[in-house]
Amino acid sequence: MLRIPFEDLYAALHRAMRQLGLSEDRAAHCARLFAETTRDGIYTHGLNRFPRFSETVRNGSVDVNAEPTKTAGLGAIERWDGHRGVGNLNAHASMERAIALATQNGIGAVALANTNHWMRGGTYGWQAADQGLFAICWTNTLANLPVWGATTPTLGNNPIVIAIPRLRGHVVLDMAMSQFSYGSLSAYSKRGQHLPVDGGFDSAGNLTKDATAIEASQRALPIGYWKGSGLSLVLDMMAAILSGGLSTHEIPLDPLRESGISQIFIAIDPRSLSTAEAINRIADGILQSLRDATPVDPAKPIRYPGEQTLQLREENLRLGVPVDPEIWRQISDPSRA
C-alpha cells in the first residue's frame, strides 16, 4: 500500500468527481466524504469503492445532478425522494435534515426513497454526533444475504448505524447484518487471508472462514444466525414502508445497477432531556466498566465502537492515507480517471 497525504487524496478525488460530471460544490462535498472515509480506515467504502461508483454513474444508475426533494411530512418525520442521485450526498443531506428536525422537536426522522449506495454508513453517525446528537440510521440493499434456513440470497445485509455523542470520543457502531460485509470479504480474499471467524457457507453448505468460497457461494452468514436474519427483514420493511420506496426484493441484483434503495435517518437531541455534563458522565462510566473487563488477550485491550476509527484517523493524517497503488494510479492520472 502507498501512503498519500490526505489533501492529495482529496484533490485527486475532487478532480475525478468533476470528470464524472458533478458540479463544483457537489464534487467537492462528495470527494470530501470519500476521502474522509478512506482517512478513517474504511478502505472498502472509500477510495477502493470509487471504481464501482464511477461505473454506476457511467451506466446511468446514479444521476449526478439529482438532489433530494421532500414529498411528505408531519411534525418531526418527513419523507424524501432521492431521485437516484449520488448516494452519499443524499444521505448527508437527509441526516442534516433529521438533525434540524431534532433541534426543533427533540427528535427528527427522514425516510429517504429512490436513492443509491451511501458508501460508509458510519459517516452519518459521526455527522450527528459531531453536532451533539444521537443518531440511528440504516439502509436496505440488493438481496445478498440468505434468510436463515435458505440457500439463496433473499435479504439485504442492510447496514445499521447507531451513534452516541461523547466529549472524549463519540461511540459509533456501524455494522451490516452479515457477519462480514461483502467489501470486507473482498478485502480478505484479495489478501489471500482467512477470516478470523466463520463468515458464511461454501458451495457444499459448510461454515467456512474462506472469504473466496463465501463470495462464490453468495451465502454470507447473518449476524447471530436467525436473529440477524430477522433483524435484516424488519429493517428492510421499515425503510421501504416509511419511505414509500423499494424493498430488497425489488432492487436490481446486479451490484453495478443497484439503485432505488430505501433509507432511514433518525436524530435525537439529548440536550432536550439532560445536560452535556450528565450525558458525558454516564457515557464515560459505561465505557470505564467496559475497560475494566478482563481481556482474553492482554495485548489486545477492550475497545468501544468508533475508538479504532479515531486512532486510524490520527495515524493516517500523520503518516498519509493508505491507498491501493493501482486505484491511486488510475485516479491520480487525469487521463485515466
Side-chain angles (χ1 to χ4, degrees), residues 237-318:
M237 293 180 74
M238 288 185 70
I241 292 169
L242 291 177
S243 71
L246 300 181
S247 58
T248 286
H249 77 278
E250 298 172 301
I251 297 170
L253 287 173
D254 181 352
L256 293 178
R257 297 189 179 277
E258 180 187 27
S259 189
I261 61 183
S262 305
Q263 298 171 349
I264 300 292
F265 300 85
I266 301 171
I268 303 169
D269 190 346
R271 295 163 296 198
S272 62
L273 302 171
S274 186
T275 65
E277 292 77 12
I279 293 166
N280 280 285
R281 177 179 54 78
I282 295 170
D284 288 350
I286 292 169
L287 295 186
Q288 185 57 53
S289 72
L290 196 76
R291 295 191 189 284
D292 289 342
T294 303
V296 173
D297 182 348
K300 296 180 179 178
I302 306 298
R303 291 197 308 251
Y304 63 82
E307 185 173 7
Q308 186 177 33
T309 298
L310 294 172
Q311 295 169 354
L312 286 172
R313 181 182 299 177
E314 185 279 328
E315 177 183 301
N316 290 342
L317 286 174
R318 176 167 44 87

Side-chain angles (χ1 to χ4, degrees), residues 133-148:
L133 280 77
F134 288 75
I136 305 172
C137 54
W138 68 90
T139 179
N140 63 11
T141 72
L142 55 76
N144 57 11
L145 184 69
V147 64
W148 187 251

Side-chain angles (χ1 to χ4, degrees), residues 88-333:
N88 57 7
L89 295 182
N90 279 351
H92 193 276
S94 296
M95 180 53 80
E96 201 62 29
R97 180 56 186 160
I99 290 169
L101 289 167
T103 301
Q104 298 168 7
N105 303 288
I107 188 169
V110 169
L112 177 66
N114 203 25
T115 189
N116 283 298
H117 197 296
W118 64 4
M119 306 306 156
R120 174 182 62 158
T123 293
Y124 319 109
W126 288 97
Q127 177 186 351
D130 282 344
Q131 298 182 53
L133 280 77
F134 288 75
I136 305 172
C137 54
W138 68 90
T139 179
N140 63 11
T141 72
L142 55 76
N144 57 11
L145 184 69
V147 64
W148 187 251
T151 61
T152 53
T154 306
L155 305 171
N157 65 359
N158 300 350
I160 185 170
V161 176
I162 302 175
I164 296 95
R166 176 173 168 264
L167 187 61
R168 296 169 58 191
H170 309 317
V171 178
V172 181
L173 176 68
D174 179 1
M175 67 179 197
M177 291 301 103
S178 52
Q179 185 66 44
F180 295 89
S181 71
Y182 277 92
S184 294
L185 290 174
S186 177
Y188 273 96
S189 180
K190 187 175 182 179
R191 294 194 301 266
Q193 295 179 343
H194 271 64
L195 304 169
V197 297
D198 289 334
F201 300 87
D202 61 21
S203 58
N206 301 309
L207 281 170
T208 181
K209 298 180 178 70
D210 186 337
T212 303
I214 299 167
E215 287 182 303
S217 71
Q218 290 291 290
R219 289 188 64 188
L221 183 68
I223 59 170
Y225 302 94
W226 50 88
K227 295 180 181 180
S229 174
L231 182 54
S232 173
L233 176 67
V234 297
L235 290 176
D236 177 41
M237 293 180 74
M238 288 185 70
I241 292 169
L242 291 177
S243 71
L246 300 181
S247 58
T248 286
H249 77 278
E250 298 172 301
I251 297 170
L253 287 173
D254 181 352
L256 293 178
R257 297 189 179 277
E258 180 187 27
S259 189
I261 61 183
S262 305
Q263 298 171 349
I264 300 292
F265 300 85
I266 301 171
I268 303 169
D269 190 346
R271 295 163 296 198
S272 62
L273 302 171
S274 186
T275 65
E277 292 77 12
I279 293 166
N280 280 285
R281 177 179 54 78
I282 295 170
D284 288 350
I286 292 169
L287 295 186
Q288 185 57 53
S289 72
L290 196 76
R291 295 191 189 284
D292 289 342
T294 303
V296 173
D297 182 348
K300 296 180 179 178
I302 306 298
R303 291 197 308 251
Y304 63 82
E307 185 173 7
Q308 186 177 33
T309 298
L310 294 172
Q311 295 169 354
L312 286 172
R313 181 182 299 177
E314 185 279 328
E315 177 183 301
N316 290 342
L317 286 174
R318 176 167 44 87
L319 301 176
V321 182
V323 299
D324 181 286
E326 178 55 31
I327 297 177
W328 177 248
R329 280 193 292 271
Q330 293 174 17
I331 199 171
S332 60
D333 181 353

